[in-house]
Amino acid sequence: MTATAVPTVLTARALLLDMDGTLVNSDAVVERCWRRWAERHGLDGDEVMKVVHGRQGYASMALLLPDRPMAQNHADNARMLAEETADLDGVVAVPGAQAFLASLAGVPHALVTSADVALSTARMAAAGLALPEVRITAESVGASKPDPEGFLKGAAELGVDPAECIVFEDSGAGITAGRAAGMQVVGVGPRADFHEPDVVVRDLTQVRVEARGDGEIRLYVG
């Protein structure tokens, strides 16, 4: 991992937080559900898992089954979301997530996730994490990450210029989306290291937030 060996200080006016892999470790259920899906469609499970992180399900399906009608992908995605929402075994908080979220009281921030309302609510509760007041979910956008729409909507909801936002992400699709939105990106966990965010941390224990009186947020990383 290329996390900086010495502390780095980033500044912003708002923070935009991915959920899966960033605040919540849901890898176990994601693996179970998507490997079952891969088997049903005669696809290699390892290759499927290289694609699905960070994207909405229908977008992953479109990449994996390019000749299939998009309507079928959306229908299949609805079934997948229900399956994932019902399976919370092994869903836990990323180390440091609870304290990190608690430190954001009074700090402009939003959840920006490819999960829908039901799935994000279930996973955050299973991990013992409070949902941010501002949430951009699958229902909020017309395009999945790596499209920047979700992050741009999050910035707009908070009334902050995109260039003054910092994104927290774990996946290639999410990191690409954050960069396309013109934002700095903090990568969280081992997946992030392959996609060259601005800085990488092992988990959220390596992040400290300081809110200043002028509205500036200082982020101490590393």
Side-chain angles (χ1 to χ4, degrees), residues 35-89:
R35 286 186 181 277
R36 282 197 298 267
W37 183 90
E39 187 175 359
R40 287 197 297 269
H41 292 87
L43 299 175
D44 181 88
D46 290 340
E47 293 304 310
V48 167
M49 294 314 302
K50 292 177 183 177
V51 171
V52 300
H53 291 290
R55 292 181 172 85
Q56 290 192 43
Y58 75 86
S60 296
M61 293 169 187
L63 289 173
L64 293 161
L65 298 173
D67 297 327
R68 192 165 79 156
M70 188 58 76
Q72 196 171 342
N73 293 334
H74 281 286
D76 212 1
N77 183 47
R79 289 188 289 270
M80 175 73 77
L81 285 169
E83 186 179 344
E84 289 186 286
T85 302
D87 184 355
L88 299 173
D89 187 26

Side-chain angles (χ1 to χ4, degrees), residues 11-16 108 151-152 154-156 158-168 178 181-186 198 217:
T11 60
R13 293 191 174 273
L15 306 180
L16 302 176
F151 288 125
L152 292 173
L158 296 171
V160 177
D161 187 282
E164 295 187 302
C165 295
I166 293 176
V167 164
F168 284 74
M183 302 172 182
Q184 295 182 88
V185 181
V186 174
D198 294 285
I217 303 164

Side-chain angles (χ1 to χ4, degrees), residues 24-44:
V24 173
N25 182 344
S26 56
D27 282 0
V29 61
V30 172
E31 288 264 347
R32 284 194 295 272
C33 291
W34 277 101
R35 286 186 181 277
R36 282 197 298 267
W37 183 90
E39 187 175 359
R40 287 197 297 269
H41 292 87
L43 299 175
D44 181 88

Side-chain angles (χ1 to χ4, degrees), residues 8 17 20 28 76 82 111 120 128 130 138 141 151 158 164 173 183 185 191-192 196 201 207 211:
T8 296
L17 317 173
D20 291 302
D76 212 1
L111 186 73
S120 57
V141 298
F151 288 125
L158 296 171
E164 295 187 302
M183 302 172 182
V185 181
R191 272 194 296 271
E196 300 183 348
V201 294
V207 180

Side-chain angles (χ1 to χ4, degrees), residues 19-20 24 81 85 88 91 111-127 129-132 135-139:
M19 182 182 72
D20 291 302
V24 173
L81 285 169
T85 302
L88 299 173
V91 174
L111 186 73
V112 182
T113 176
S114 293
D116 63 3
V117 170
L119 181 57
S120 57
T121 302
R123 282 188 177 163
M124 290 289 280
L129 300 176
L131 279 164
R135 301 184 287 276
I136 306 298
T137 62
E139 296 92 338

